[in-house]
Amino acid sequence: MKSLLNPKISLSTLKSISSLAAVKNPSFFPIENPEIPSLFDPFQFLNDYTKSTHCSITNTRILHAHFLRIDLLPSNVAIANSLLGCYCRSGSMADALHLFDVIPERNVISWNLMVSGYNRSSMFENSWGVFCRMHCSGFEPDEFTYGSVLSACTALQASSLGEQVYSLATKNGFFSSDYVRSGMIDLFAKSGSFEDALRVFHDVSCWNVVIWNGVISGAVRNGENGVALDLFRQMCCGFLLPNSFTFSSVLTACAALGEIGIGREVQGWVIKRGAEDVFVGTAIVDLYSKCGKMNEAVKEFSRMPTRNVVSWTAIISGFVGKDDSISGLKFFREMRRMGEEINKFTITSVLTACAKPSMSEEAIQIHSLILKSGLYSAAEVGSALINAYSKIGAVDVSEMVFREIRTLKDLGTWAAMISSFAQNQNPESAIGVFQRMLQESVRPDKFSTSSVLSIIDYLGVGRQIHSYTLKVGLAFDASVGSSLSTMYSKCDSLEESYKAFQQIRDKDNVSWASMIAGFLEHGFADQALQLYREMPCKEIIPDQMTLAAILTACSASRSLLIGKEIHGHALRAGVGRDVVVGGAIVNMYSKCSALELARKVFDMLPQKDEVACSSLVSGYAQNGCIEEALLLFHHMLMADLTIDSFTISSILGVIAPLNNPSIGTQMHAHITKIGLNSDVSVGSSLVRMYSKCGSIEDCQKSFDQIENPDLICWTAMIASYAQHGKGAEALRGYELLKEEGIKPDSVTFVAVLYACSHNGLVDEAYFYLNSMATDYGIRPGYRHYACMVDVLGRSGRLKEAERFIINMPIEPSGLIWGTLLAACVIHRDVELGKLTAKKIMDLEPCDASTYVSLSNMCADLGLWEEAEQIRDQMRGNRTRKEPGWSLV
């Protein structure tokens, strides 16, 4: 009994201990006779002992032995319950159960102690077992029993059992008990049935702050942050004062919604009430961090008198979310210097900061720290490691981490590995990991399935995975359904893409935006616009991503009126000046040639990014506004904005008609400086620019710098050779294109036939024209036939050219007859020229060039009367020749 002596125990307790030690005869305590005074009050002693620091298993067993010796337990259930509580508090549930089983007259308190004791020791199945035993024994549970067993059901995630308990409690008259209702609200909230939790909350008017806190925190847990704020307003209107727990939940909801204004109001109330503790302080730091107000977050963090690991993690995560990895790592280093213990959430945030190619060394150091700290076994840490190495580009290290993680049954780890392969464009390995999941009986979740679908570009494999998603019911999920729709669209199966979209039950904005983008990619802008009109009928409010997608549809279809309507909608929704939406609006107006409106929107954007600048530069370039395009490009350079290939290509397109090699050379130097000289689109633009400037050697040099030239690059180079009279080189380029396994298109054949026409290669021209249809299934168009007529005309085979036109499978156009007329002028064939001119006049009576060409031909041959007649006819038709002009 020596270990029980403690100066902190009261004088009465010390006397009790002394009396207990001196007891020899159990009859010393005449408990049945209240008139006889007792030197030792066992109930008071147990009450003081339970509250003291000496309540341990060993000391409780000593007390138990003494009470047995004096035969006190059988006659006093209150003393037995107190001793039972001591066992439960010290965590010895085996001893508690032994004592419970020998109590002769158990009451409801005895049962409650056992249920709550098992809960305290996290032995929730035993809690449920005791409750069942109590119910079968005929004992009537009270509100505390129901509250405790509902907590056990919550921990066991047994919502069905909890509902049965709640039904029994309601039946027995505990419908309005705060303990029962708070337990049921917590159960529903943690099992994902927040609507049921809200129903229980509204069943009875409540003035208990604990219940309000439970339903507000439940709303936050289930992502119903708007509901949480509404509940908080109702709570305050009901004159119920919130506490620190309420404030931390509400601040978390504000952070999730980005409601910085409401968050500041709540913070003001916290300061006024003096309710700021470490949890509320952490929630305030998290609020400012998630809203991107890092200066204020740091200020609040520095004011916190006490910080915990959650506080440090919140400030680190805030910097990581702002893509400020350096500041995040500085705080992490300071956290380590202060000796603060790190957890898996801290590590995952730091690993996200290190997920950059420039921070590979830091990632390796954090990896070593993880091994040293023993956090390697946490599945979240393993997934973050895999993701970090993937972003760095070290996929082999990601695979090594994946193999070393023991918890391979964790879905997050599998999903991270599949995502790693997908990000690094390795579809075979991603599909292999997916197959291995199925082989090891790990059921892929929506994240794994969406990741593997994002990398698939083979229709057969995509359909197999689609079949699996239908089998397990994932095809109806919004993220999986969107990935399926995108996969089919990428595989050029738009019909199946739309079917997958229709199968999604609860379509979100991502689903709608993906399908709209799918229609756009396949040239169905009208269908994309129609889909957008259906969104309000489904009660879907378009977000920034959807608005940007539909504005792109307006750009593609040149639908200026609809684009203005969507611009108005964006302004009403408060996202008109959003970076993404604003850039899409500028692009829409630029593509629709409404450059004044494009410039107005551009000037009003608070933050001008590369997309908005590039769109306006392109708009100016396409509409011949050379000076404006160059000035805006200069502004981008001065603002140190990232210059992408799209902008460079637009500027090169502006420079090319100027026929100024010096400007082109300067641009080429800048392109080389920023490392875009090997880009496919930029390389193609350089080839075209040098071609128009007459430098075929520079064309070839620019082409040689391109890594993996595509069809457009090859076509540009072939056309450049053709324009400069190098027919042999052009045809050699065409043969090299085929050797690379690239399939030519109709534009390529125009360049090839153009090369034949400028070099008099008639037989070759016939060969390539026939090859279009027979080898590649391309139907020749007007430009191809015009090139063929030009080949024959330049070679003096005018009659053959006429027969060729007459036998064409399509109706000849003015372009084709005009090509023959030009040949007639060159070879001075007046008769055929007259017939050809008549054909053109019938098709295009107002075309002045026909009259002029025929008149000039007659004049060259000395047929002045006929030349004058043609001029009179031209004047009679009120056809006027446009005057020529020159830049020189």
Side-chain angles (χ1 to χ4, degrees):
M1 295 304 295
K2 206 170 192 180
S3 63
L4 290 176
L5 296 175
N6 187 336
K8 294 183 180 179
I9 298 178
S10 64
L11 181 62
S12 61
T13 306
L14 287 172
K15 290 179 180 178
S16 300
I17 294 172
S18 302
S19 302
L20 180 62
V23 167
K24 299 293 182 183
N25 188 349
S27 62
F28 183 86
F29 297 102
I31 301 204
E32 295 181 359
N33 189 352
E35 295 180 1
I36 299 176
S38 172
L39 297 176
F40 173 57
D41 184 353
F43 186 80
Q44 181 62 44
F45 171 77
L46 285 171
N47 187 42
D48 293 340
Y49 166 68
T50 304
K51 296 176 183 177
S52 73
T53 58
H54 290 281
C55 185
S56 64
I57 296 174
T58 302
N59 292 338
T60 305
R61 284 173 178 167
I62 294 172
L63 286 173
H64 189 177
H66 275 280
F67 286 144
L68 287 173
R69 189 167 61 186
I70 63 176
D71 199 26
L72 188 62
L73 294 179
S75 58
N76 195 322
V77 68
I79 299 298
N81 286 342
S82 296
L83 190 61
L84 188 63
C86 293
Y87 275 128
C88 292
R89 187 175 183 274
S90 59
S92 179
M93 292 310 298
D95 291 322
L97 182 61
H98 179 72
L99 173 60
F100 177 79
D101 287 336
V102 296
I103 297 176
E105 297 294 335
R106 290 187 291 263
N107 58 17
V108 70
I109 297 175
S110 312
W111 293 97
N112 288 351
L113 285 168
M114 288 302 297
V115 173
S116 61
Y118 278 126
N119 281 356
R120 187 182 290 112
S121 298
S122 300
M123 302 169 69
F124 303 107
E125 291 184 358
N126 297 74
S127 297
W128 176 254
V130 170
F131 176 74
C132 293
R133 180 179 166 189
M134 177 185 185
H135 183 67
C136 294
S137 300
F139 275 92
E140 289 293 333
D142 61 8
E143 57 184 333
F144 304 107
T145 319
Y146 288 122
S148 296
V149 78
L150 283 172
S151 298
C153 292
T154 303
L156 292 170
Q157 298 181 347
S159 55
S160 58
L161 296 179
E163 290 177 20
Q164 294 178 36
V165 173
Y166 185 62
S167 299
L168 186 62
T170 303
K171 179 183 176 183
N172 291 335
F174 295 103
F175 176 75
S176 59
S177 166
D178 289 342
Y179 292 101
V180 176
R181 292 177 65 221
S182 62
M184 201 61 208
I185 289 170
D186 190 48
L187 172 68
F188 279 136
K190 289 181 179 176
S191 62
S193 302
F194 180 68
E195 290 184 4
D196 293 324
L198 207 57
R199 176 178 51 79
V200 172
F201 173 75
H202 287 304
D203 279 345
V204 179
S205 299
C206 176
W207 297 98
N208 189 326
V209 71
V210 175
I211 294 181
W212 280 93
N213 287 346
V215 73
I216 291 172
S217 65
V220 174
R221 175 189 292 272
N222 286 272
E224 299 287 348
N225 298 291
V227 177
L229 294 184
D230 288 338
L231 288 167
F232 178 66
R233 292 188 189 98
Q234 295 173 30
M235 178 183 183
C236 298
C237 292
F239 305 104
L240 193 63
L241 291 177
N243 57 20
S244 59
F245 188 88
T246 321
F247 288 130
S248 61
S249 296
V250 172
L251 286 166
T252 302
C254 292
L257 293 171
E259 290 284 359
I260 187 72
I262 299 175
R264 284 188 172 126
E265 293 177 9
V266 175
Q267 183 187 4
W269 199 355
V270 168
I271 295 170
K272 183 179 179 181
R273 289 282 314 279
E276 186 171 358
D277 56 16
V278 66
F279 304 106
V280 175
T282 300
I284 293 171
V285 171
D286 188 53
L287 166 71
Y288 287 121
S289 297
K290 287 183 177 174
C291 292
K293 307 290 184 182
M294 291 312 301
N295 290 335
E296 294 181 64
V298 171
K299 190 183 296 183
E300 294 299 328
F301 181 79
S302 62
R303 288 175 180 171
M304 291 179 66
T306 306
R307 306 180 188 114
N308 59 14
V309 63
V310 183
S311 316
W312 285 96
T313 303
I315 197 75
I316 293 168
S317 300
F319 280 115
V320 174
K322 290 284 286 183
D323 201 25
D324 187 355
S325 301
I326 303 299
S327 298
L329 291 176
K330 282 181 180 178
F331 270 88
F332 179 67
R333 186 168 61 244
E334 180 65 15
M335 178 184 182
R336 297 277 296 151
R337 191 186 68 79
M338 296 288 290
E340 186 68 53
E341 184 180 353
I342 60 175
N343 61 18
K344 59 184 180 181
F345 303 106
T346 318
I347 288 294
T348 52
S349 294
V350 174
L351 283 171
T352 304
C354 297
K356 296 178 180 179
S358 60
M359 304 189 74
S360 57
E361 292 185 10
E362 288 81 357
I364 294 170
Q365 292 175 19
I366 300 299
H367 192 172
S368 302
L369 176 62
I370 291 168
L371 291 169
K372 182 180 177 181
S373 61
L375 289 169
Y376 203 51
S377 58
E380 297 89 345
V381 173
S383 300
L385 260 177
I386 291 170
N387 181 62
Y389 280 123
S390 171
K391 295 286 179 63
I392 291 169
V395 188
D396 53 339
V397 186
S398 291
E399 287 188 86
M400 181 196 72
V401 174
F402 180 68
R403 288 193 300 268
E404 289 178 352
I405 295 175
R406 296 178 181 177
T407 56
L408 285 182
K409 295 293 182 182
D410 181 73
L411 280 171
T413 309
W414 289 92
M417 194 66 244
I418 292 174
S419 177
S420 174
F421 285 128
Q423 290 169 12
N424 288 274
Q425 300 300 309
N426 191 342
E428 292 81 8
S429 298
I431 294 169
V433 175
F434 189 81
Q435 289 173 333
R436 186 177 158 195
M437 286 183 76
L438 297 174
Q439 290 167 0
E440 298 193 14
S441 300
V442 180
R443 179 174 172 176
D445 60 356
K446 59 183 181 181
F447 304 108
S448 309
T449 309
S450 298
S451 293
V452 77
L453 283 169
S454 69
I455 197 67
I456 290 175
D457 55 2
Y458 179 62
L459 198 56
V461 177
R463 283 173 175 159
Q464 290 179 39
I465 295 179
H466 189 183
S467 299
Y468 171 77
T469 61
L470 288 169
K471 180 180 178 182
V472 298
L474 282 174
F476 312 109
D477 176 78
S479 60
V480 176
S482 299
S483 298
L484 280 167
S485 178
T486 303
M487 181 272 297
Y488 280 123
S489 176
K490 196 162 51 176
C491 294
D492 295 326
S493 182
L494 195 60
E495 185 177 349
E496 289 180 279
S497 174
Y498 187 59
K499 284 181 180 178
F501 169 76
Q502 289 179 311
Q503 284 181 340
I504 302 172
R505 285 173 183 157
D506 298 317
K507 300 178 183 68
D508 57 7
N509 269 292
V510 177
S511 311
W512 289 91
S514 299
M515 194 64 243
I516 289 170
F519 279 129
L520 282 174
E521 288 168 6
H522 290 81
F524 294 99
D526 292 338
Q527 285 83 345
L529 291 169
Q530 179 58 39
L531 201 63
Y532 171 75
R533 294 188 185 98
E534 293 176 11
M535 293 182 71
C537 302
K538 305 295 182 181
E539 298 182 354
I540 300 292
I541 300 174
D543 62 358
Q544 289 95 320
M545 183 171 59
T546 313
L547 289 171
I550 200 62
L551 283 165
T552 305
C554 294
S555 304
S557 62
R558 305 293 192 269
S559 303
L560 181 59
L561 183 60
I562 298 174
K564 286 181 177 179
E565 292 177 3
I566 296 169
H567 185 187
H569 175 81
L571 291 172
R572 287 195 302 274
V575 295
R577 297 187 180 184
D578 177 79
V579 175
V580 177
V581 177
I585 293 171
V586 171
N587 182 57
M588 181 270 298
Y589 282 131
S590 298
K591 290 285 177 63
C592 295
S593 300
L595 294 178
E596 290 186 10
L597 291 173
R599 186 71 197 207
K600 280 184 180 179
V601 174
F602 179 81
D603 290 337
M604 287 191 297
L605 290 177
Q607 184 179 353
K608 298 170 179 62
D609 66 346
E610 296 82 3
V611 175
C613 291
S614 299
S615 299
L616 193 54
V617 167
S618 175
Y620 281 138
Q622 291 171 2
N623 288 275
C625 302
I626 299 173
E627 185 179 353
E628 291 85 350
L630 292 174
L631 283 173
L632 186 56
F633 179 71
H634 182 260
H635 166 75
M636 291 181 71
L637 293 176
M638 292 298 100
D640 199 26
L641 290 173
T642 302
I643 308 296
D644 60 6
S645 58
F646 180 75
T647 312
I648 292 290
S649 299
S650 298
I651 288 296
L652 288 172
V654 169
I655 293 172
L658 296 178
N659 197 18
N660 191 331
S662 62
I663 299 178
T665 304
Q666 292 177 45
M667 274 300 303
H668 196 171
H670 181 73
I671 290 166
T672 304
K673 180 182 177 182
I674 62 178
L676 285 175
N677 54 311
S678 61
D679 182 83
V680 175
S681 60
V682 173
S684 301
S685 300
L686 278 171
V687 169
R688 286 191 290 269
M689 182 198 71
Y690 281 125
S691 176
K692 289 183 180 180
C693 291
S695 180
I696 192 65
E697 292 79 11
D698 289 325
C699 279
Q700 183 63 59
K701 288 178 183 178
S702 300
F703 180 80
D704 291 339
Q705 289 179 337
I706 301 171
E707 291 182 6
N708 302 318
D710 62 1
L711 176 61
I712 298 173
C713 296
W714 282 102
T715 302
M717 196 64 231
I718 293 168
S720 298
Y721 278 130
Q723 289 164 4
H724 288 79
K726 294 182 177 292
E729 289 85 347
L731 298 183
R732 175 59 183 157
Y734 173 73
E735 295 302 324
L736 289 173
L737 176 148
K738 292 198 298 180
E739 289 176 11
E740 292 290 329
I742 300 174
K743 182 181 177 181
D745 63 359
S746 61
V747 181
T748 312
F749 278 107
V750 170
V752 170
L753 292 171
Y754 188 81
C756 294
S757 70
H758 279 243
N759 291 270
L761 305 174
V762 179
D763 294 336
E764 289 83 351
Y766 272 120
F767 170 77
Y768 290 119
L769 185 69
N770 292 328
S771 176
M772 285 181 64
T774 56
D775 297 336
Y776 300 102
I778 301 172
R779 181 181 297 177
Y782 288 109
R783 295 181 66 190
H784 303 99
Y785 288 122
C787 286
M788 198 65 218
V789 172
D790 190 44
V791 173
L792 296 170
R794 285 174 184 267
S795 302
R797 297 156 72 164
L798 301 179
K799 291 296 181 181
E800 185 179 346
E802 183 186 15
R803 287 196 301 271
F804 179 84
I805 294 173
I806 294 171
N807 294 324
M808 278 169 43
I810 59 176
E811 192 68 27
S813 66
L815 171 67
I816 294 173
W817 286 114
T819 305
L820 181 56
L821 177 60
C824 292
V825 171
I826 294 171
H827 295 284
R828 299 187 173 190
D829 190 335
V830 178
E831 295 304 320
L832 183 58
K834 289 180 179 179
L835 293 173
T836 305
K838 187 176 185 308
K839 294 284 187 182
I840 300 173
M841 292 173 188
D842 290 340
L843 292 170
E844 299 172 4
C846 296
D847 183 19
S849 62
T850 306
Y851 295 96
V852 172
S853 297
L854 188 57
S855 174
N856 290 342
M857 183 174 63
C858 292
D860 289 342
L861 294 173
L863 304 173
W864 299 105
E865 291 183 5
E866 293 188 27
E868 186 61 30
Q869 287 176 3
I870 295 169
R871 291 284 180 172
D872 290 340
Q873 186 181 356
M874 180 179 173
R875 283 190 290 269
N877 292 336
R878 295 183 179 180
T879 302
R880 299 187 62 183
K881 178 181 178 296
E882 292 292 332
W885 60 278
S886 174
L887 288 172
V888 179

